[in-house]
Amino acid sequence: MHPFQIQNLILLGALVTSATAQEIKIPATLPHMEDVKTAPFIYAKETSTTPVRSVTVGAETGASDADAGSLRRARVNAAAGPVRHELPYPMYDVDASGTQWVRGATYKASFDASGATYIPFLGSRAPRNYPVTMRVQSITTGGQPIEFDASASAVRDGATVAFDRGSVVEQYLIQRDGMEQQFVFDALPARGEIVVTLGVQTDLQSRKDGEGLRFENALGHMRYGRAVAIDAAGHSIGVEERLTEGGIELVVPAAFVAVAELPLVIDPLHATFVVDQDTNDDSNADVAFIANTSAALVVYEYAFSALDHDIYSEEYINQVFQGAAQIDFSIDDWRNPRVAANRLGNKFLCVAQVGSTGNRDIKARTIIANSLALGTVFTVNGSETGDKHDPDVGGDPYTTGPTYFCVVWQRDYSSTDTDVHARLITSSGSNSGSVIFLENSGGTLDTRPSISKTDGNGPAVGQNWNVVWGHEASPTDDDVQGAQVHWDGTITSPTFTVAGTAANERFPTASEPIDAIGAQPRRWMSVYTLDSDLRFRVWDATSVVDTLDLAAGSFTTLSAPDITTDGSLWLVAYTTRFNVFPNPDTDVRAASLNAVGGNLSFSENSIAIAASSVDDELRPRISSPLGTASPYRSYIAYDTNPAATGLDVKVGVYDSPINAGGYTYCFGDGSGTGCPCFNNGSPTAGCANSVNSNGATLSPSGHWFVSNDSAVLTAFGMPASAAALYFQGTSQSLNGSIFGDGLRCVTGSTVRLGTKTSVSGMSSYPGTLNLPIHQKGGVPAAGGWRYYQAWYRNSAAFCTASTFNLTNGVALLWAP
């Protein structure tokens, strides 16, 4: 039988207060998020006429709300003590009866023989708790009951609480702002429709709406959102959710169960933490990582008065606040901040437009990572005529100097002539060379340039900043143009058309190049709005490889995209606006895309980063570390506009799929090195063997995190009882070299993981008594690329005199 996994995502978000906000004074908005794909969701939004923000400045503690702003400034100037303090959620405990307890930022939960109980936070003055207890009552497949241990005890292992019920494992993945519920089946007695029935005990009223199930009272509601079933190949299907008398039924269609493959879960983490949430207007957030580390800097604009905006910054490592620096608090008007990082200089560079409209300059300031020491403010543009505004900046992750930042901006020469200019900034923080005129033609309107977050990882030959901007083809036709700037400031590709149809193409952004696997040039992606939709395009230099549209759907507008890459996948943040009177709503979502060959596709899509039903979330900006320290984790900075507190700044955390950095390679189909006896196999396997003309296939599954290793390598298509040696290497041979009856694809320093005997031509490593792969393979805590293959016995007279063959190769990027 082929096991597969039902995955349900339960998230605790913000609470909606009762109508009498003045009677229930609750702290300002809690972090929250929602996932439309999988989202059993508990939602929480708090409002208050007197928002509370915990602020500590050196020895000054316990300050009143009115003092929060001035104390925050004192903290920045004095460079002492944290701006805020948050408890280390989630927290765990076990009581005297053996019940497992979890405390998240916005919920409590307990796990015992009676099931799992969720207790959403409904405000400090809620009259009591309103728990929701769920217990598995029955499971059937194809109409046949699946026996399970209803009295199983809860066992916690790190951030996972599990009930091993024999035929199914019911487990909960604990996160700061929510929990993920999964039912894992290792075997099925029959292939047919699966029905999981959960008994529910709660005093909350239940109903079904367009986003799933809802349990509510006057204080707020808990959302148990849409679930999906996901098989090993990444295929997924929506799970029907039925409200029953006293419970919930989750129904997986029979057609999906019939073809489900070995389990592989695409399992992103997305959460939200507050950067700034006071009664002042904070907006225009941006974020950047120092490559290959977990150090990120968030910058944003603070409205001191209508004509005097300042720029703040805050540093985070693994979502934990490290410190703050005020980039500007002069009487000059600084706006539209953007930030990038230079790894060699260990610096961030923040740029902004400074001055009054018509007479603005582009100014910049460096911030040293960790110490947050500030460099001297300097002007980036030259003495060119005109108003300079809407800057953007790209950094450099390379460690071989010299390296630079590249700043781009719009120059208004006249009302009918606007241009795009650029300039290099050294890693130490000073102008390098003259202004670069990317687009300086007369009589054209070229506006709002956007530059990639970096010029990509080395080698230097493939490092280019990709720049895109708006171009008015006519008063009724907006297009997109672009250019490429090499790491040293030379123009690799002068102005070319990125989008030039008769439709309106707007709000373009561009990614850095992905890491090089094959020949140059390295691919990059542009994204822009096309009417109400988004259009993604993959490029080789200035040649389009493929185009993919994301359609908005009825009553919805997609807009404000921003894009980056983790080196393998492209990661995109964007807004969705649901345009239905009287409650239109704008949310922030994320997606990841990949291009295999010439085909562009979504790895996953429409992941909700911020989806409050009360506030609008606006202007997302996304950044990834672009390195091995945390290759899957991106930060998405965005603005919110709660009526009670003015504009605020938050950051969403998005983890791209768990095997985002992996790919299979070195196939025995003749596309690379030919198989030794013309025994070519299929495009997904190794060379053909004596029992399988397609060859044997090696496939990965599980979580490839050093800190959370559930990785499994499975080989199939081998002789029935063949012994298979699984091994790991530190480098690869992309096309392979002849070895026995097959091709050897793994090279470098190799480690024998273990030998397994096949059953019906299939085996897996690790087994029950084996060390996890990262331990056996000695993968360092920081992670990194490793390469895998299975070498199996094939003693039949078939090809060469050798008695062995090999699978294809698998390349996998381990995360910390």
Side-chain angles (χ1 to χ4, degrees), residues 292 457-458 514-517 565-569 626-632 657-665 700 704 706 727-732 734 746-751 773-774 777-788 809-816:
N292 212 50
N457 279 319
I514 62 172
D515 291 346
I517 296 175
T565 179
D566 61 10
S568 299
L569 288 185
L626 195 64
T628 59
S630 185
Y632 300 120
I658 59 175
N659 284 331
Y663 56 90
T664 54
Y665 69 99
W704 294 81
V706 175
F727 64 104
Q728 168 192 285
T730 54
S731 57
Q732 61 181 155
L734 276 172
V746 172
T747 58
S749 177
T750 57
V751 176
I773 292 176
H774 84 276
V779 180
W785 285 101
R786 291 296 184 272
Y787 306 91
Y788 299 91
V810 171
L812 287 164
L813 180 60
W814 284 89

Side-chain angles (χ1 to χ4, degrees), residues 662-669 671 675 681-689 692 694-700 713-718 725-727 732-736 741-746 787-792 805-812:
Y663 56 90
T664 54
Y665 69 99
C666 188
F667 305 116
D669 61 350
S671 59
C675 292
S682 75
T684 60
C687 297
N689 59 48
N692 186 349
N694 291 320
T697 299
L698 184 65
S699 177
L713 291 164
T714 299
F716 57 91
M718 300 177 290
L725 170 66
Y726 291 82
F727 64 104
Q732 61 181 155
S733 173
L734 276 172
N735 294 319
D741 291 349
L743 302 174
R744 180 161 179 173
C745 312
V746 172
Y787 306 91
Y788 299 91
Q789 198 171 12
W791 173 3
Y792 62 92
N805 205 328
L806 299 99
T807 65
N808 58 285
V810 171
L812 287 164

Side-chain angles (χ1 to χ4, degrees), residues 203-283:
D203 290 335
L204 300 175
Q205 298 298 308
S206 62
R207 65 183 176 91
K208 190 170 184 176
D209 61 18
E211 297 181 1
L213 308 180
R214 184 172 167 127
F215 297 85
E216 61 189 357
N217 65 13
L219 295 174
H221 65 271
M222 163 188 169
R223 181 169 296 286
Y224 190 88
R226 291 187 288 258
V228 295
I230 304 173
D231 78 350
H235 303 133
S236 62
I237 191 169
V239 172
E240 182 184 358
E241 294 165 333
R242 302 170 181 167
L243 272 176
T244 64
E245 184 66 32
I248 298 170
E249 287 184 348
L250 305 175
V251 183
V252 185
F256 181 81
V257 177
V259 297
E261 299 183 17
L262 289 171
L264 171 64
V265 179
I266 295 177
D267 189 9
L269 169 68
H270 31 282
T272 302
F273 59 91
V274 176
V275 172
D276 199 300
Q277 183 174 288
D278 51 28
T279 56
N280 308 298
D281 279 343
D282 309 295
S283 62

Side-chain angles (χ1 to χ4, degrees), residues 66-74 77 276 278-283 300-312 326 328-335 647:
D67 294 332
S70 59
L71 287 179
R72 193 174 195 292
R73 270 189 227 317
N77 297 336
D276 199 300
D278 51 28
T279 56
N280 308 298
D281 279 343
D282 309 295
S283 62
Y300 58 98
E301 185 178 322
Y302 170 87
F304 190 79
S305 70
L307 300 178
D308 179 9
H309 286 208
D310 301 331
I311 306 298
Y312 284 179
Q326 196 161 336
D328 170 74
F329 58 95
S330 69
I331 60 172
D332 295 330
D333 193 17
W334 286 55
R335 304 199 183 207
L647 292 172

Side-chain angles (χ1 to χ4, degrees), residues 502-524:
N504 278 324
E505 293 111 344
R506 297 174 176 169
F507 309 113
T509 60
S511 80
E512 51 268 74
I514 62 172
D515 291 346
I517 296 175
Q520 305 294 341
R522 286 148 57 184
R523 290 180 173 178
W524 62 282

Side-chain angles (χ1 to χ4, degrees), residues 336-360:
N336 288 336
R338 291 290 180 260
V339 66
N342 184 288
R343 184 181 174 191
L344 182 64
N346 197 37
K347 285 185 174 70
F348 298 97
L349 183 73
C350 179
V351 299
Q353 65 191 44
V354 181
S356 57
T357 302
N359 192 35
R360 290 171 289 190

